[in-house]
Amino acid sequence: MTGRALDVLGAFDSGAPRLTLSEIAERSGTPLSTTHRLVGELAAWGALHRRPDGRYEIGRRLWDLGLLAPVQLELRQVAAPFLLDVHTATRDTVHLAVREGRSALYVERVSGRESVPVVSQVGSRLPLHATGVGKVLLAAAPDDVVEAVLRAPTRETRHTVVDAGRLSREIAEVRRRGYARTAEEMSLGTLSVAVPVRVERSAGPAVVAAALGIVVPSHRRDLLRLVPVLEVAARGIGRELSRVQHFR
């Protein structure tokens, strides 16, 4: 039954954060009667929450547990002051993401009333090839991940780069210059730039543990002037992470 309960929870994702009982049953491949019982138990425990409209969403208790994972707890605690510094200096939306498979998992975000609206939220997963932080993480990913992304890149907007040859050249350019940029590839009306967060290890070369990025309105012309600001913050995050045992 544990497996079926996990299947029920796995029915939810960033594209379907709220589901009816029948939708949960269909997406999880679980009989409706079993889904009804499992959903009731999960809701009673706090893993799911029933909305007034009858649909279900992930409950606060799972969120609280998720925050205890090292990638969330330690990384967010270390990075938060640096993200706040960048946001204070720019007033734009600042992101921190890590790679999870072929997606960029957003673990922290700082924005304000003056920031351009973006689709990402803390905990959301977006395609590596369509975001600034994602392209940085893709450039540092193993060859098999890069090859998988190049085989079937999704078109998020009309500006998303989906040609495998062009995308491959962009990845090589990110590795060479040390930063990535996008223009309306994930959200219309936005530009982004991102840099890697490198962590020195006691043995072996430094590794890219995360990507730090900023999103601005598409009419801005000073995007590349933000790269040094991000690089200073990324170095600070990397330096602090190198002292954390989990990231060594």
Side-chain angles (χ1 to χ4, degrees), residues 24-240:
I24 295 172
E26 181 179 354
R27 289 171 64 91
S28 66
T30 306
L32 186 59
S33 58
T34 303
T35 302
H36 183 273
R37 178 168 56 81
L38 289 173
V39 166
E41 293 176 358
L42 290 168
W45 187 77
L48 293 177
H49 170 70
R50 190 174 189 272
R51 294 166 50 86
D53 63 5
R55 293 183 298 168
Y56 290 87
E57 60 190 5
I58 295 297
R60 176 63 185 268
R61 194 162 183 182
L62 275 188
W63 172 254
D64 291 340
L65 287 174
L67 292 177
L68 298 177
V71 69
Q72 288 277 18
L73 183 63
E74 296 172 348
L75 182 53
R76 293 180 76 218
Q77 286 179 343
V78 166
F82 295 96
L83 268 69
L84 185 58
D85 286 347
V86 175
H87 173 69
T88 300
T90 65
R91 314 309 299 176
D92 294 304
T93 298
V94 186
H95 289 139
L96 185 73
V98 298
R99 186 177 65 83
E100 187 174 88
R102 285 178 275 177
S103 299
L105 170 62
Y106 288 73
V107 297
E108 188 60 285
R109 186 185 82 169
V110 180
S111 60
R113 288 178 297 177
E114 301 173 31
S115 304
V116 64
V118 295
V119 297
S120 62
Q121 301 178 26
V122 174
S124 65
R125 294 167 176 80
L126 296 179
L128 290 173
H129 68 282
T131 63
V133 289
K135 290 189 179 186
V136 165
L137 296 169
L138 186 57
D143 290 343
D144 62 323
V145 173
V146 176
E147 291 168 2
V149 171
L150 291 177
R151 278 198 299 270
T154 56
R155 187 179 294 280
E156 305 299 327
T157 75
R158 63 180 182 271
H159 301 290
T160 308
V161 177
V162 293
D163 177 76
R166 180 180 169 189
L167 190 54
S168 181
R169 290 191 295 273
E170 282 197 3
I171 294 169
E173 187 67 9
V174 172
R175 292 170 180 154
R176 185 188 67 80
R177 69 191 179 195
Y179 66 86
R181 56 182 176 180
T182 66
E184 300 187 296
E185 293 189 49
M186 191 70 227
S187 301
L188 296 177
T190 66
L191 308 174
S192 73
V193 63
V195 301
V197 175
R198 292 187 172 88
V199 177
E200 298 292 338
R201 297 185 297 178
S202 54
V207 296
V208 174
L212 178 66
I214 192 166
V215 181
V216 305
S218 57
H219 60 77
R220 289 272 293 271
R221 294 293 179 264
D222 62 343
L223 189 65
L224 296 186
R225 293 178 60 186
L226 299 173
V227 172
V229 177
L230 290 173
E231 288 176 333
V232 169
R235 283 196 295 269
I237 296 170
R239 184 171 58 249
E240 294 300 317

